[in-house]
Amino acid sequence: MLKYKPKVKTLPGPRSNTYLRKVKKYNLGWNHPYPFVHSGKGKGSFFEDLDKNVFLDFASQIASNPLGYNHPALIKVVKQFKNQSPVKYAGQDFTVQEHVDMIEEVLSIAPKGMNKIFLCNSGGEAVENAIKTAIRKQKGMQRAVSFRRAFHGRTLGALSNTNSSQVQKKHYPTFPVHRLPYDTRAIAFLEDMIKREAHPKDIGYVIMEGVQGEGGYNVPSKKLMKGIRRITKSRGIPLILDEVQSGMGRTGKWWAHQHFNINPDIMSSAKALQVGATLTSKKYMHEPGSISSTWGGGHRLDLLMGATIIREIKKKNLLNNITMQGEYLRKRLDEVSGVLNVRGLGLMCAFDLSSTKKRDDLVLELMKHGVVTLGCSDKGIRLIPPYTVSGEEIDMFIEALEHSLGNCNKKGFKHTGLICQYGYCARDHS
Amino acid sequence: MLKYKPKVKTLPGPRSNTYLRKVKKYNLGWNHPYPFVHSGKGKGSFFEDLDKNVFLDFASQIASNPLGYNHPALIKVVKQFKNQSPVKYAGQDFTVQEHVDMIEEVLSIAPKGMNKIFLCNSGGEAVENAIKTAIRKQKGMQRAVSFRRAFHGRTLGALSNTNSSQVQKKHYPTFPVHRLPYDTRAIAFLEDMIKREAHPKDIGYVIMEGVQGEGGYNVPSKKLMKGIRRITKSRGIPLILDEVQSGMGRTGKWWAHQHFNINPDIMSSAKALQVGATLTSKKYMHEPGSISSTWGGGHRLDLLMGATIIREIKKKNLLNNITMQGEYLRKRLDEVSGVLNVRGLGLMCAFDLSSTKKRDDLVLELMKHGVVTLGCSDKGIRLIPPYTVSGEEIDMFIEALEHSLGNCNKKGFKHTGLICQYGYCARDHS
């Protein structure tokens, strides 16, 4: 029985709009946020905004909210802190129990052989520390290797490996990172690069996402993954798997790369974990002082939230639900006319529209029907519902999708109203 | 009336030691954490560890805990969330009210002319975004300028400006950053650099701390600050003030640079603010999409904690207490024999010992007497009590200091026991 159903009156509603106007005025990072403001209310896959609009959330705070809204196990965590503050310590110098809880929970699901972990504050920082961990071993590093359409974060070290969108890198300095295609051609290219251009010791690392996120929810082939692993292993080049978006169970396995039966040397995690984490093995152990972070491993609430999320996934066997509902979602999507290139693993799904304009229109139209989704790549839409999503909710989504697509395909379709100031409004629409 | 008094039985106590052993085993960032584990209990300047040891805290979670332990205003904040989870959203895309609260509170205390702000997850990220903001304007950037003993963070962009300790940078790639001495010679050096080596447009930015933190709690001269501001202004080079540690009231003014009557172009904040923030003016506004962060501006609890801290500082006029108690602390320190080079602004104070070994010994000995301090530079000790510290607590600290110094000066002094595995134990001691 669902308590909530999508229900939208005005977008943005007047209360939300008051806040959005201020964000627009003051936020240096302004980039068209969604046309509603969260009220904190909601349950499971549904949330309410300040104007009592109700949304079905297939974006999950960009994969950061794996158990949905106001999950009882997480409310219990928050309640534990009700008589205590601060909840945030300088965790690398001043130890809190929750740091150890989190370390133990993550290591219980870590890829084979990984028994060293560093906790930090974001996915970007997790990637920075993964890179630093690799380079510390490849001391003569001249360049590194990443992939076409990769997204690894925004801090300048992480950003050097990112190839997702021009505006993210324009004018910023970067370290030399060689870009490979995200398909099996990459295997020969990397081999050739080592043979002709670079001694393996000169290559700091190869970094790749388990499944590409912002770049298009592109699932790599087993051949690509195994080929890259084979070369990097035989040449002694550290392979970093960036599982910030694809990890923590999102694909039906704890880490996306486990679908391809490979083991990385270093791994980054964040988002669903609630903190950033860099994992590796003893072989990559650092000199004390060479990596650190004031707040890393010290945010008691975030740490306990993350540890509880792992425990809950285990307890409720959510990886099964993720696999099952992911398959059901893709099956239903395949039946919808106008939906192209359905892809994904588990509940990390996407499809394309025939153009960027159509994609942008659809994201907005879905929102008007109370369904929140995210774009990716040029014309893709990501579907990342909570791990607890039900078949009934997927049916509800498909119904809204068919209806919204129908509207978008009507002749002369055009969005109107304040909504065009926010959200991913079509670029050629005013 | 003080409820608590410093009281230490064993360091580390058995319960703490259980956790510390695990941190040592698994933490890739292992760097000798303090020999106790926080229990969350405490009040004001005092906290309890898991073994019921009580400490007077003159380290304040590396300046991240400005109001001390379990401040009523902050407990009230945590209580507000007791029926809600998650408290963490993807804040740049999905707006929460607390984002706007925080923006308004920070802008109410921002340096003159600053009306654009970007919220992110750490001090390192705040510096990364400050750098990106500068470079976006100085498109032809060939190099940047920072100072001797500067600390600006650990992510590779921020780290390029850091000159605090060799182990922090060893083997890592960096962007070209020219280092100036942290004294008035820097003025002529910068002028000479512009004249002979670099067109002003080639210099991405000059970055400096309001008061140097990790590098030694070094207070700059007004002449240095005004000289650097004069050149950067006349040459059109963005001046970034890094106020991650020195800002948010710590020095008795909201931002340390305000002691020198200058205005930066860009500023970074974090620590006491509970989130990272980059501030600037309209002139430096970005193209949408050029900076972002999944969790930035979305951690409802941290945002409301930070906003509440600002409100509480205003309401209780804590800047006055900071100035007054800072002066009192430095006056009392000046009377202690063996304490060298007393310095600081407000409650950002430090002193030196005659050697690194003596400093390390004293930090440990103070801890055995229930007083927590932090080292800085080669032989310095930082004193960063909460903004609410009382004269009585400062007297308590001075008493412990005199007693501990006396012990350290005894012939053949040596630490013993498990404590030597943790904390800043003397380097030549086993």
Side-chain angles (χ1 to χ4, degrees):
Chain A
M1 276 301 141
L2 298 174
K3 187 192 156 195
Y4 279 109
K5 272 212 294 202
K7 192 189 72 177
V8 171
K9 211 178 148 193
T10 327
L11 261 186
R15 292 201 61 203
S16 293
N17 199 35
T18 309
Y19 288 95
L20 290 167
R21 269 204 307 262
K22 290 184 185 171
V23 174
K24 185 171 188 174
K25 185 168 175 191
Y26 299 123
N27 187 8
L28 179 66
W30 168 263
N31 189 25
H32 307 282
Y34 279 64
F36 48 76
V37 174
H38 279 275
S39 67
K41 289 180 192 154
K43 200 163 173 49
S45 308
F46 297 91
F47 69 85
E48 261 185 52
D49 76 1
L50 289 181
D51 300 280
K52 299 195 187 304
N53 293 315
V54 177
F55 298 89
L56 174 64
D57 189 359
F58 270 42
S60 294
Q61 306 300 324
I62 318 183
S64 294
N65 182 19
L67 300 186
Y69 293 89
N70 300 319
H71 190 282
L74 298 181
I75 287 184
K76 219 167 134 186
V77 169
V78 183
K79 275 191 177 156
Q80 283 184 45
F81 288 95
K82 73 174 188 295
N83 291 317
Q84 282 185 20
S85 114
V87 290
K88 199 166 188 170
Y89 291 77
Q92 297 297 324
D93 291 298
F94 300 98
T95 306
V96 295
Q97 286 170 275
E98 292 80 5
H99 189 179
V100 180
D101 281 359
M102 177 60 118
I103 283 178
E104 293 190 314
E105 279 304 332
V106 180
L107 290 182
S108 79
I109 59 165
K112 207 179 131 200
M114 290 201 172
N115 49 19
K116 298 284 176 192
I117 179 166
F118 176 71
L119 300 182
C120 53
N121 307 296
S122 67
E125 289 189 6
V127 169
E128 291 274 340
N129 284 297
I131 294 171
K132 289 170 84 170
T133 295
I135 296 172
R136 201 90 192 169
K137 198 141 200 332
Q138 300 289 89
K139 294 183 177 62
M141 177 206 176
Q142 298 290 322
R143 72 183 87 184
V145 173
S146 73
F147 287 82
R148 187 166 169 271
R149 291 199 179 273
F151 183 88
H152 297 289
R154 300 272 200 159
T155 51
L156 293 173
L159 185 68
S160 298
N161 308 286
T162 292
N163 302 306
S164 170
S165 159
Q166 194 238 25
V167 69
Q168 294 168 354
K169 290 181 95 168
K170 200 164 70 176
H171 302 310
Y172 299 137
T174 52
F175 299 110
V177 179
H178 191 87
R179 176 173 36 194
L180 294 179
Y182 197 61
D183 57 47
T184 49
R185 286 174 300 168
I187 301 166
F189 287 179
L190 181 58
E191 262 171 350
D192 194 62
M193 181 181 158
I194 293 168
K195 201 152 50 184
R196 292 173 195 275
E197 301 170 51
H199 190 274
K201 273 276 154 212
D202 299 340
I203 301 175
Y205 54 85
V206 174
I207 186 169
M208 63 198 312
E209 290 157 281
V211 168
Q212 281 195 339
E214 197 186 282
Y217 273 37
N218 306 313
V219 183
S221 69
K222 199 167 197 165
K223 196 175 167 197
L224 168 65
M225 296 300 260
K226 282 195 155 303
I228 296 296
R229 176 68 285 194
R230 180 178 44 75
I231 301 173
T232 50
K233 187 166 240 164
S234 69
R235 300 297 193 155
I237 302 165
L239 175 63
I240 303 172
L241 252 298
D242 183 355
E243 295 272 6
V244 166
Q245 187 159 170
S246 56
M248 276 292 289
R250 173 54 63 189
T251 65
K253 293 189 185 284
W254 283 110
W255 313 104
H257 71 263
Q258 294 175 327
H259 289 277
F260 313 107
N261 213 13
I262 60 162
N263 265 310
D265 300 299
I266 302 163
M267 189 179 80
S268 52
S269 177
K271 295 211 193 291
L273 188 63
Q274 308 301 299
V275 298
T278 306
L279 283 89
T280 188
S281 61
K282 200 179 163 188
K283 183 175 147 193
Y284 287 90
M285 195 65 193
H286 293 264
E287 181 181 356
S290 54
I291 61 173
S292 197
S293 156
T294 297
W295 292 333
H299 199 307
R300 297 175 64 204
L301 184 78
D302 286 352
L303 291 166
L304 204 48
M305 287 273 193
T308 303
I309 287 168
I310 296 175
R311 285 178 201 136
E312 198 63 22
I313 295 171
K314 290 176 180 170
K315 202 170 125 192
K316 301 280 167 65
N317 220 340
L318 289 178
L319 296 184
N320 277 0
N321 193 59
I322 291 165
T323 304
M324 187 179 76
Q325 302 297 358
E327 278 166 18
Y328 181 61
L329 174 57
R330 285 188 294 279
K331 178 178 154 284
R332 295 285 335 251
L333 284 169
D334 275 329
E335 299 159 5
V336 180
S337 149
V339 159
L340 311 171
N341 193 16
V342 174
R343 59 196 179 270
L345 275 175
L347 287 173
M348 190 171 181
C349 298
F351 63 90
D352 286 339
L353 276 296
S354 58
S355 72
T356 302
K357 182 183 179 319
K358 282 211 165 147
R359 187 270 309 276
D360 292 345
D361 277 349
L362 182 60
V363 169
L364 224 59
E365 190 64 18
L366 275 167
M367 218 181 313
K368 285 181 176 172
H369 287 82
V371 172
V372 178
T373 58
L374 276 165
C376 62
S377 188
D378 298 329
K379 40 193 185 182
I381 290 184
R382 300 181 234 198
L383 304 175
I384 3 177
Y387 299 175
T388 50
V389 72
S390 67
E392 203 177 346
E393 286 162 355
I394 290 175
D395 292 340
M396 203 179 261
F397 164 76
I398 295 287
E399 198 185 313
L401 174 65
E402 286 175 329
H403 197 81
S404 302
L405 264 175
N407 283 357
C408 289
N409 286 332
K410 280 179 190 155
K411 215 186 146 185
F413 172 81
K414 199 176 161 179
H415 290 295
T416 53
L418 278 178
I419 198 173
C420 304
Q421 291 180 22
Y422 310 107
Y424 283 89
C425 191
R427 278 162 211 168
D428 57 353
H429 172 67
S430 61
Chain B
M1 275 300 139
L2 299 173
K3 186 192 157 196
Y4 279 111
K5 273 212 294 202
K7 193 189 72 178
V8 171
K9 212 179 147 191
T10 326
L11 261 187
R15 289 201 62 202
S16 292
N17 199 34
T18 309
Y19 288 96
L20 290 167
R21 268 204 307 262
K22 290 184 185 171
V23 174
K24 186 170 189 176
K25 185 167 174 192
Y26 298 122
N27 187 7
L28 180 66
W30 168 263
N31 188 25
H32 307 283
Y34 279 65
F36 48 76
V37 174
H38 280 275
S39 69
K41 288 180 192 154
K43 199 162 174 50
S45 307
F46 297 92
F47 69 85
E48 261 186 50
D49 75 1
L50 288 181
D51 299 279
K52 298 193 189 304
N53 294 316
V54 176
F55 298 90
L56 174 63
D57 190 359
F58 270 43
S60 295
Q61 305 300 324
I62 320 183
S64 295
N65 183 20
L67 300 186
Y69 294 90
N70 299 321
H71 191 283
L74 298 181
I75 287 185
K76 220 167 132 187
V77 170
V78 184
K79 275 190 177 157
Q80 282 184 45
F81 288 96
K82 73 174 188 293
N83 291 317
Q84 282 185 21
S85 112
V87 290
K88 199 167 188 171
Y89 291 78
Q92 296 296 326
D93 290 298
F94 300 98
T95 307
V96 296
Q97 286 169 276
E98 293 79 4
H99 190 179
V100 179
D101 281 359
M102 177 61 117
I103 283 177
E104 293 190 313
E105 279 304 331
V106 180
L107 290 182
S108 79
I109 59 164
K112 208 180 127 200
M114 289 201 172
N115 49 18
K116 298 284 176 191
I117 179 167
F118 176 71
L119 300 182
C120 53
N121 307 296
S122 67
E125 288 190 4
V127 169
E128 291 273 340
N129 285 296
I131 294 171
K132 288 170 84 170
T133 295
I135 296 171
R136 201 90 192 171
K137 197 138 197 341
Q138 299 291 88
K139 294 182 176 63
M141 177 205 176
Q142 298 290 320
R143 71 183 87 183
V145 173
S146 74
F147 288 81
R148 187 168 170 269
R149 290 199 179 275
F151 184 88
H152 296 290
R154 302 272 200 158
T155 50
L156 293 173
L159 185 67
S160 298
N161 308 286
T162 291
N163 301 306
S164 170
S165 160
Q166 194 238 23
V167 69
Q168 295 167 354
K169 289 181 94 168
K170 199 163 71 175
H171 303 308
Y172 299 137
T174 52
F175 299 111
V177 179
H178 191 85
R179 176 172 37 195
L180 294 178
Y182 197 60
D183 58 46
T184 49
R185 286 175 299 167
I187 302 167
F189 287 0
L190 181 59
E191 263 172 348
D192 194 62
M193 183 180 156
I194 293 169
K195 203 152 49 182
R196 291 173 197 277
E197 300 170 51
H199 190 275
K201 273 276 154 212
D202 299 340
I203 301 174
Y205 54 85
V206 175
I207 186 168
M208 64 197 312
E209 290 157 280
V211 168
Q212 281 196 339
E214 197 186 281
Y217 273 36
N218 306 313
V219 182
S221 68
K222 199 166 197 167
K223 196 175 166 195
L224 168 65
M225 296 300 260
K226 282 194 155 305
I228 296 296
R229 177 66 284 193
R230 180 177 43 76
I231 302 173
T232 49
K233 188 167 240 166
S234 70
R235 301 296 194 157
I237 302 165
L239 176 62
I240 302 173
L241 252 298
D242 183 355
E243 295 272 7
V244 167
Q245 188 159 170
S246 55
M248 275 292 289
R250 173 53 65 191
T251 65
K253 292 189 185 283
W254 282 110
W255 313 102
H257 71 263
Q258 293 174 328
H259 289 277
F260 313 107
N261 213 12
I262 61 161
N263 264 312
D265 301 300
I266 302 163
M267 189 179 80
S268 52
S269 177
K271 296 213 192 288
L273 188 63
Q274 308 301 299
V275 298
T278 305
L279 284 89
T280 188
S281 60
K282 200 179 163 189
K283 184 175 145 191
Y284 287 91
M285 195 65 194
H286 294 264
E287 180 181 356
S290 53
I291 60 173
S292 197
S293 155
T294 297
W295 292 334
H299 199 307
R300 298 175 63 205
L301 184 78
D302 287 351
L303 292 166
L304 205 47
M305 286 273 192
T308 303
I309 287 168
I310 296 174
R311 284 178 201 137
E312 197 64 21
I313 295 170
K314 289 176 181 171
K315 201 169 126 192
K316 300 281 167 62
N317 221 341
L318 288 177
L319 296 183
N320 277 0
N321 192 59
I322 292 164
T323 304
M324 187 180 76
Q325 302 298 358
E327 278 165 17
Y328 180 62
L329 174 57
R330 285 189 294 279
K331 179 180 153 281
R332 295 283 338 249
L333 284 169
D334 274 329
E335 298 160 6
V336 180
S337 148
V339 159
L340 310 171
N341 193 16
V342 174
R343 59 196 179 270
L345 276 175
L347 287 173
M348 190 170 179
C349 298
F351 63 89
D352 286 339
L353 277 296
S354 59
S355 72
T356 302
K357 181 184 180 318
K358 282 213 165 146
R359 187 271 308 275
D360 292 345
D361 277 349
L362 182 60
V363 170
L364 224 59
E365 191 63 18
L366 276 166
M367 218 182 313
K368 284 180 175 171
H369 286 82
V371 173
V372 178
T373 57
L374 275 166
C376 62
S377 187
D378 298 330
K379 41 194 185 181
I381 290 183
R382 299 180 236 199
L383 304 175
I384 4 177
Y387 299 175
T388 50
V389 73
S390 67
E392 204 177 346
E393 286 162 354
I394 289 174
D395 291 341
M396 202 179 259
F397 164 75
I398 295 287
E399 198 185 312
L401 174 65
E402 286 174 330
H403 197 82
S404 302
L405 264 174
N407 283 357
C408 290
N409 286 333
K410 279 179 192 155
K411 214 187 146 185
F413 172 81
K414 200 175 162 181
H415 290 295
T416 53
L418 278 179
I419 198 174
C420 304
Q421 292 179 22
Y422 310 109
Y424 282 90
C425 191
R427 278 162 211 169
D428 57 354
H429 171 68
S430 61

